[in-house]
Amino acid sequence: MPSTDARSSLDVRAARNLATTTKTRPQMQAITSRWLLRMLPWVDVRGGTYRVNRRLTHRVGRGRVGVAQHGADDVRIIPETLAELPLLRGFADAEVLSAIAATFTPREVQAGEVVVEAGAPITDTYVIAHARLERLATGPYGAQQALGVIADGEQFGDEAVGKEDPRWAYTVRAATAGTILVSPLAELQRIAGSSPALRAQVERYQVVLRRPVNRRGEAAVDIAAGHVGEPVINGTFVDYDLHPREYPLSVAQTILRVHTRVADLYNEPMNQLEEQLRLTIHEIREREEWELLNNREFGLLHNADYGQRISTWSGPPTPDDLDDLISMRRKTRLLLAHPKAIAAFFRECNRRGLVPGSTEVNGHEIPAWRGIPIFPCGKIPISVLHTTSIVAMRTGEDDQGVVGLYQTGIPEEYEPGLNVRFMGIDPQAMMSYLVSAYCSAAILVPDAIGILENVDIAAPRS
């Protein structure tokens, strides 16, 4: 350590004690771009609940059947999830559902194996436990055509119930090795023979199939067109769903605590309470976006219609996959993907010699495909198998799209839909503030959102 007598000027460390440092506001790594919150049109829900009225739909939706694996050779149907089949929608007899689930037996398939052949009689119903299967058909000129890919939890064959001499309209071939579960249709008929409740359920389903519907499964409107002369024109009306879905606003809350000594003595040059609130609100907004995607009650990933979900053709996200996803709806406004999924898509474009475009959004240059911006969102989950999803959306009430829900003008509002309420000072001289944000999301019609599932983001070895 040099002697102070040897210095000819003030030491830097000493000078710093008398200087005012230039400092930043508190920084936070967890802040993201939150494009979903920024791009959703927000509807002010004055009553705290948003009701989505739709036309009456006769076509019964198809869900995913759950499969439990208790060991390498012990794969079973979860009985209550059989109610996701159109035939059993709304059926709640647990004993009968367990009996039906017990009729499914596991079967191993190998890549390239033909599971069912087009034109053959339909004698079984199938549930995919873990595999990727391709649906194939012969085109009008004799060439083989790919109709789509089906994967875990999906099923086929149950649509033959109640039909005379049903036959497969397509071939199903295994694209990967895996496990499927098979149940003979004769077993379902046997159980129905001993269960009046199941017989009644099948009869109701057959009545629904005979009702006239439009191409979206909604109750048909009788319209005369192309006629001449003076025929009698039938009257009609547009029927509504008697049980529309309602979306109550969800809440994200935390209690912020600040000691009075800190608030009293250390507010220069930055207000400690304001900085604490700023970072807390960032965390709440991050959680809001996570909830909008992943909440099981209203999250977009869980509430998208299963008819609007497709799997990738080969694993990684290719331009063909995104084209299929976009073509499923009109006016796709945006694509939402994990940054790693966007990188995987760019790799596939590079392999084909394609250059994705870009578009300007609010002053930011965003990558785009077919002119549709692809926004990064790290809150879309990645599975342990390195697969994720890509979301396509149409947005806004006017376009029957996806909307965000909040309420403005709430007591002690700090930001739209968020308030900060003083809760008092406790005996430890700690001030408490309740920070609350209210939000939700609603899908106005099923095709407003689509999901590309089973997107493989693992980079191939060179």
Side-chain angles (χ1 to χ4, degrees):
M1 182 92 182
S3 170
T4 55
D5 295 336
R7 293 199 307 266
S8 58
S9 64
L10 182 67
D11 185 75
V12 171
R13 290 170 296 178
R16 187 176 181 274
N17 291 333
L18 301 182
T20 300
T21 60
T22 301
K23 58 184 72 66
T24 70
R25 303 172 75 183
Q27 306 296 299
M28 176 176 165
Q29 288 191 81
I31 296 175
T32 66
S33 53
R34 299 198 292 265
W35 279 111
L36 179 60
L37 293 184
R38 294 160 68 178
M39 299 308 299
L40 274 183
W42 290 87
V43 176
D44 194 356
V45 181
R46 304 309 307 167
T49 300
Y50 186 74
R51 178 181 296 156
V52 178
N53 290 308
R54 292 179 179 173
R55 280 181 63 178
L56 178 64
T57 300
H58 288 322
R59 185 177 298 160
V60 183
R62 179 178 292 277
R64 296 276 173 87
V65 174
V67 177
Q69 185 167 359
H70 302 283
D73 301 316
D74 188 4
V75 182
R76 306 176 192 171
I77 296 287
I78 300 173
E80 55 268 24
T81 65
L82 286 172
E84 294 293 332
L85 295 173
L87 172 66
L88 299 174
R89 181 58 58 86
F91 188 69
D93 190 322
E95 185 177 344
V96 174
L97 290 176
S98 296
I100 297 172
T103 66
F104 283 86
T105 57
R107 171 181 157 190
E108 298 296 322
V109 294
Q110 301 301 319
E113 179 182 343
V114 174
V115 179
V116 301
E117 191 79 46
I122 301 178
T123 58
D124 302 298
T125 186
Y126 299 83
V127 172
I128 304 172
H130 179 66
R132 180 191 296 267
L133 307 182
E134 299 172 326
R135 292 190 297 117
L136 309 169
T138 302
Y141 300 103
Q144 192 176 65
Q145 297 177 332
L147 302 180
V149 176
I150 51 180
D152 302 9
E154 297 187 82
Q155 61 282 328
F156 53 99
D158 57 288
E159 65 271 17
V161 175
K163 296 181 180 178
E164 293 186 7
D165 192 27
R167 294 183 176 273
W168 293 106
Y170 49 82
T171 295
V172 176
R173 184 178 65 194
T176 65
T179 303
I180 61 176
L181 293 145
V182 187
S183 174
L185 289 174
E187 288 295 303
L188 178 64
Q189 295 167 354
R190 177 185 62 79
I191 296 172
S194 59
S195 170
L198 182 56
R199 278 202 307 273
Q201 176 76 14
V202 173
E203 290 169 1
R204 284 194 297 271
Y205 175 68
Q206 291 172 340
V207 169
V208 169
L209 291 179
R210 291 194 291 268
R211 290 173 180 167
V213 297
N214 64 15
R215 63 189 181 89
R216 294 293 187 182
E218 298 167 326
V221 173
D222 193 355
I223 297 176
H227 52 276
V228 295
E230 300 178 352
V232 176
I233 299 176
N234 294 331
T236 191
F237 66 96
V238 180
D239 207 353
Y240 300 145
D241 186 355
L242 294 178
H243 305 285
R245 179 167 180 181
E246 294 184 345
Y247 294 84
L249 291 182
S250 178
V251 63
Q253 291 179 310
T254 190
I255 296 175
L256 173 63
R257 294 185 175 92
V258 180
H259 201 284
T260 53
R261 180 172 54 191
V262 172
D264 291 343
L265 301 179
Y266 301 98
N267 274 338
E268 291 295 337
M270 299 175 190
N271 186 291
Q272 292 288 348
L273 176 59
E274 289 297 321
E275 293 303 317
Q276 289 281 299
L277 270 177
R278 180 178 67 87
L279 297 179
T280 300
I281 289 170
H282 272 301
E283 281 289 4
I284 285 183
R285 294 304 191 194
E286 294 290 334
R287 182 54 185 258
E288 269 188 336
E289 188 172 63
W290 187 93
E291 294 285 335
L292 290 179
L293 284 166
N294 298 289
N295 186 285
R296 297 198 69 85
E297 294 297 321
F298 60 84
L300 301 179
L301 291 174
H302 293 286
N303 286 269
D305 188 87
Y306 283 105
Q308 295 295 320
R309 300 168 185 260
I310 58 174
S311 289
T312 58
W313 287 100
S314 57
T318 65
D320 297 333
D321 293 320
L322 288 198
D323 285 344
D324 285 346
L325 183 63
I326 292 168
S327 69
M328 296 171 67
R329 73 202 42 79
R330 58 183 174 82
K331 291 186 178 180
T332 299
R333 297 294 188 191
L334 62 94
L335 295 164
L336 204 65
H338 194 283
K340 291 186 177 181
I342 298 176
F345 174 66
F346 287 169
R347 285 198 298 270
E348 292 302 310
C349 289
N350 292 340
R351 291 173 61 170
R352 299 187 181 199
L354 301 175
V355 179
S358 63
T359 185
E360 185 176 315
V361 180
N362 300 334
H364 299 269
E365 200 71 18
I366 304 296
W369 181 250
R370 307 297 188 192
I372 301 169
I374 309 174
F375 293 105
C377 181
K379 299 176 185 69
I380 297 177
I382 296 176
S383 75
V384 294
L385 299 176
H386 301 288
T387 61
T388 184
S389 301
I390 296 176
V391 182
M393 279 189 280
R394 182 176 66 246
T395 58
E397 280 189 312
D398 292 341
D399 279 333
Q400 301 184 110
V402 179
V403 295
L405 308 176
Y406 71 163
Q407 185 179 132
T408 59
I410 57 180
E412 300 179 60
E413 188 171 61
Y414 191 84
E415 291 182 358
L418 181 146
N419 64 0
V420 180
R421 312 190 80 165
F422 180 60
M423 298 174 65
I425 303 175
D426 67 12
Q428 283 76 41
M430 200 76 69
M431 297 188 299
S432 297
Y433 295 85
L434 177 64
V435 186
S436 307
Y438 301 91
C439 75
S440 187
I443 302 169
L444 301 191
V445 294
D447 76 342
I449 183 170
I451 299 180
L452 179 65
E453 298 182 313
N454 303 313
V455 175
D456 187 357
I457 60 172
R461 294 183 65 181
S462 58

